[in-house]
């Protein structure tokens, strides 16, 4: 009798676990070919420029990038790098971009908090003064900092792109709670809000962020069609660069190191043959 009870309990737990796994499993992101993938991949400078514009005009209203300085935009490999200005702080375009943004400062005479145009030496400003204000403006949810978001999420750029471009209408039988939005690529548990067959719970979850992108929401200076997919892809590439701004330098150094080691190996092989040619092995 005890064995039957244990067996039934184990079966029940297995069924519950199977339902939970189905409920919390998001849809697999689509495969996107990124220019920066692979050992020889490089960032598309034009794409990074478009991505920065999407971030500044759309994402920056809720998400900060506390690890980024405006001068990073003009460093080698950055979206606005110009070889004429080895010091990115001297890049006039970077200065102009920074000046478009207001940052907090302290009046040296009165000690009051004032705002001034940012300089290339300033960090990207936070959209909220503190965490409580951020949560209050977003229905209790804390918008994550985007500085290294691509590195912090499994599947990296594929996941970020999928979530940004993957908002969808909920499937039949799924009720979306107020202030929440359904996204099949976002991990979560929607089983409590699903009225259909719990053996086939819809993929994905709910998140508090409404669909941030829209067709034509951002106008690209180079004339690229501003579709949701294009905006998502461009801003994802920009966030991938922000998470690893020295990627191209790292890959170039790695390639040079491999060539050096190859030549050293060949040299050592010939040296070995010359030194030990008359010695029996």
């Amino acid at each position: 009798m005890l064995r039957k009870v244990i067996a039934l309990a184990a079966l029940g737990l297995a069924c519950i676990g199977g339902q939970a796994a189905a409920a919390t499993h998001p849809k697999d992101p689509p495969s996107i070919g990124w220019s920066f993938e692979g050992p020889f991949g490089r960032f598309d400078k034009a794409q990074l420029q478009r991505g920065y514009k999407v971030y500044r005009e759309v994402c920056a209203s809720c998400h900060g990038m506390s690890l980024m300085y405006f001068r990073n935009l003009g460093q080698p490999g950055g979206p606005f790098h110009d070889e004429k200005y080895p010091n990115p702080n001297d890049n006039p375009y970077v200065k102009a971009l920074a000046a478009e943004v207001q940052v907090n400062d302290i009046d040296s005479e009165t000690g009051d908090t004032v705002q001034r145009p940012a300089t290339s030496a300033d960090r990207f400003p936070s959209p909220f003064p503190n965490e409580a204000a951020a949560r209050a403006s977003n229905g209790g949810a804390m918008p994550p900092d985007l500085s290294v978001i691509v590195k912090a999420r499994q599947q990296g750029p594929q996941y970020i792109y999928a979530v940004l471009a993957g908002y969808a209408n909920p499937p039949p039988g799924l009720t979306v709670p107020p202030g929440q939005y359904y996204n099949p690529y976002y991990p979560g548990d929607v089983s409590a809000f699903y009225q259909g067959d719990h053996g086939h719970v819809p993929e994905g979850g709910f998140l508090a962020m409404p669909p941030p992108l829209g067709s034509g929401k951002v106008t690209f200076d180079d004339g690229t069609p501003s579709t949701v997919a294009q905006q998502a892809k461009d801003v994802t590439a920009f966030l991938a660069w922000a998470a690893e701004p020295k990627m191209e330098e790292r890959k170039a150094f790695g390639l040079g190191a491999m060539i050096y080691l190859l030549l050293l190996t060949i040299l050592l092989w010939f040296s070995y043959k010359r030194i030990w040619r008359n010695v029996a092995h």
Side-chain angles (χ1 to χ4, degrees):
M1 182 65 181
L2 180 59
R3 290 181 180 179
K4 290 183 178 179
V5 172
I6 293 175
L8 290 173
L11 179 61
L13 289 174
C15 291
I16 293 173
Q19 288 182 8
T24 58
H25 178 67
K27 188 176 180 180
D28 291 330
S31 179
I32 300 293
W34 303 99
S35 66
F36 50 84
E37 290 182 323
F40 306 108
R42 298 175 63 86
F43 289 111
D44 181 337
K45 191 173 181 179
Q47 185 176 53
L48 295 184
Q49 292 175 359
R50 295 193 301 269
Y52 171 75
K53 190 168 189 181
V54 176
Y55 168 75
R56 178 51 54 194
E57 295 186 9
V58 180
C59 309
S61 60
C62 293
H63 298 273
M65 297 186 73
S66 61
L67 301 182
M68 289 294 296
Y69 289 82
F70 283 100
R71 63 170 175 262
N72 296 140
L73 298 172
Q75 69 185 36
F80 303 102
H81 173 63
D82 190 332
E83 294 181 354
K84 294 187 295 183
Y85 304 99
N87 184 346
N89 287 296
D90 299 329
N91 187 316
Y93 199 75
V94 171
K95 289 182 178 180
L97 290 174
E100 294 175 354
V101 181
Q102 295 290 311
V103 296
N104 292 329
D105 203 347
I106 302 297
D107 190 307
S108 58
E109 296 184 359
T110 65
D112 296 332
T113 300
V114 296
Q115 286 201 320
R116 60 167 175 79
T119 68
S120 55
D122 286 313
R123 292 178 187 265
F124 283 20
S126 172
F128 303 104
N130 50 59
E131 181 177 337
R135 290 185 180 278
S137 298
N138 291 277
M142 179 64 185
D145 186 275
L146 300 183
S147 300
V148 292
I149 193 70
V150 170
K151 292 290 186 182
R153 296 293 183 267
Q154 189 176 11
Q155 297 180 292
Q158 310 285 13
Y159 167 78
I160 300 299
Y161 168 83
V163 169
L164 289 175
Y167 284 83
N169 293 324
L174 181 62
T175 302
V176 180
Q180 299 288 305
Y181 301 86
Y182 173 69
N183 193 309
Y185 299 101
Y186 187 76
D189 188 351
V190 301
S191 57
F193 302 91
Y194 184 57
Q195 303 300 318
D197 180 7
H198 277 260
H200 300 85
V201 178
E203 296 174 304
F206 303 131
L207 68 166
M209 179 177 70
L213 306 177
S215 182
K217 193 169 186 176
V218 177
T219 301
F220 294 130
D221 299 332
D222 61 2
T224 299
S226 185
T227 62
V228 171
Q230 187 66 54
Q231 294 169 29
K233 191 172 184 179
D234 291 344
V235 76
T236 298
F238 173 74
L239 295 176
W241 167 80
E244 196 174 5
K246 295 187 180 295
M247 183 205 71
E248 293 184 0
E249 295 180 38
R250 174 178 59 79
K251 288 184 177 180
F253 178 84
L255 178 61
M258 293 300 294
I259 294 174
Y260 168 79
L261 291 174
L262 177 62
L263 295 176
L264 179 62
T265 301
I266 295 173
L267 178 62
L268 290 175
W269 187 82
F270 280 108
S271 299
Y272 164 80
K273 286 294 185 180
R274 180 177 180 83
I275 295 172
W276 298 97
R277 69 181 184 278
N278 296 322
V279 178
H281 296 296

